[in-house]
Amino acid sequence: MLEANQILDLSAIKAILPQRNPILMLDRVQVVDANHLIGVKNLSINEPFFQGHFPGHPIMPGVLQVEAMKQLAEIAVRGELDPSGNGDVYLWKLSKAKFRNPNLPGDRAKVEITVNGIEDGAASITGTVSNSGGVTCEAAFTLKMREKSAPAEMPELFNDYDRAAGFASEITEVTKVMPHRFPFLLIDGIRYMDEAKAVAVKNLTGGEAMFMHAAEDYAVMPETVLCEILAQAGCACVLARPENAGKLGLFAALMDAESFAPVYPGDQLVVDVDLPPARKTFGKGSGKIYVNGKVVFASSLMFAIVDPA
């Protein structure tokens, strides 16, 4: 039971949340009241995600700012959404997230959420992340609880999205235009690409750094990371355009994201993104992620193309 003005240290946070490193995004939490929580995440260059996002230009991924808000909201509502503590509180819908300024090594991120209400098992949340320079991210999203589940069938082997079927861009070619690197490179190749569309493939494996956060009995990919996978497929498409050579692709906003089903180790993700050519430094697109032909996640996104600092 959360109490007003209660301070949660790392041990208390871990007692409530299932997330663990490298995706636990809170170091300390203050319960202002039951519907208003404040957290802090100190940003150190030793964070694994800085090593791959981006080498030489370390920036906290925008989706991890959303993940920090999601985790803080989960602390607030888990007791009501999942009284038994046996379910999976997940990011059901993300109506909008705007990324305004970067968080860099040496920054301290203040994470703040408000629970606007809980109805029919869905918790409506608004939140912000800020540093000493001001707001870096703001979002509105909805959390729900689902029963923990497991894959009911073997993945389809083999199909048109396996590498042997032919990739438009092997991963070695992708990394020539994309700045992302381990452990934050989240596509394995491009099956198809033209000026306005990319179909990427991501093979999920239990050895993935993004699964190392999971509780021992339940490994699913966080929905915020699915947002990043969509974005990286789009990034590969946009940065392959000759006019964008040597530039960075950054999230500006996410809109209307929705999770339809969990994804597990052993799944092959087919990431289909439409990104019409942009006339300016900003562009919009939309995408869906499929597993065995079924949509598991969808989102629209806005991106910015910038020169490295």
Side-chain angles (χ1 to χ4, degrees), residues 81-154:
L81 294 186
D82 181 28
S84 71
N86 296 321
D88 175 24
V89 176
Y90 72 104
L91 183 65
W92 176 39
K93 292 183 178 181
L94 177 65
S95 56
K96 182 173 285 188
K98 293 183 178 179
F99 306 104
R100 300 195 176 279
N101 292 291
N103 269 306
L104 307 176
D107 282 330
R108 292 189 294 169
K110 176 185 178 183
V111 188
E112 191 163 7
I113 64 94
T114 299
V115 180
N116 300 310
I118 300 176
E119 186 174 354
D120 297 328
S124 173
I125 311 292
T126 51
T128 61
V129 180
S130 57
N131 59 27
S132 58
V135 173
T136 62
C137 179
E138 56 187 2
F141 55 95
T142 306
L143 301 185
K144 291 185 78 172
M145 189 278 286
R146 60 191 171 198
E147 298 297 327
K148 291 181 178 179
S149 58
E153 58 187 6
M154 289 292 286

Side-chain angles (χ1 to χ4, degrees), residues 6-8 26 28-33 36-40 72 109-113:
Q6 182 180 1
I7 303 297
L8 305 179
L26 297 168
R28 199 171 302 171
V29 169
Q30 178 187 7
V31 181
V32 179
D33 59 48
H36 181 197
L37 274 63
I38 297 173
V40 62
L72 190 61
K110 176 185 178 183
V111 188
E112 191 163 7
I113 64 94

Side-chain angles (χ1 to χ4, degrees), residues 25-26 63-73 111 129:
M25 290 291 121
L26 297 168
V63 298
L64 294 187
Q65 297 187 63
V66 178
E67 180 65 26
M69 287 184 274
K70 184 266 181 183
Q71 291 177 18
L72 190 61
V111 188
V129 180

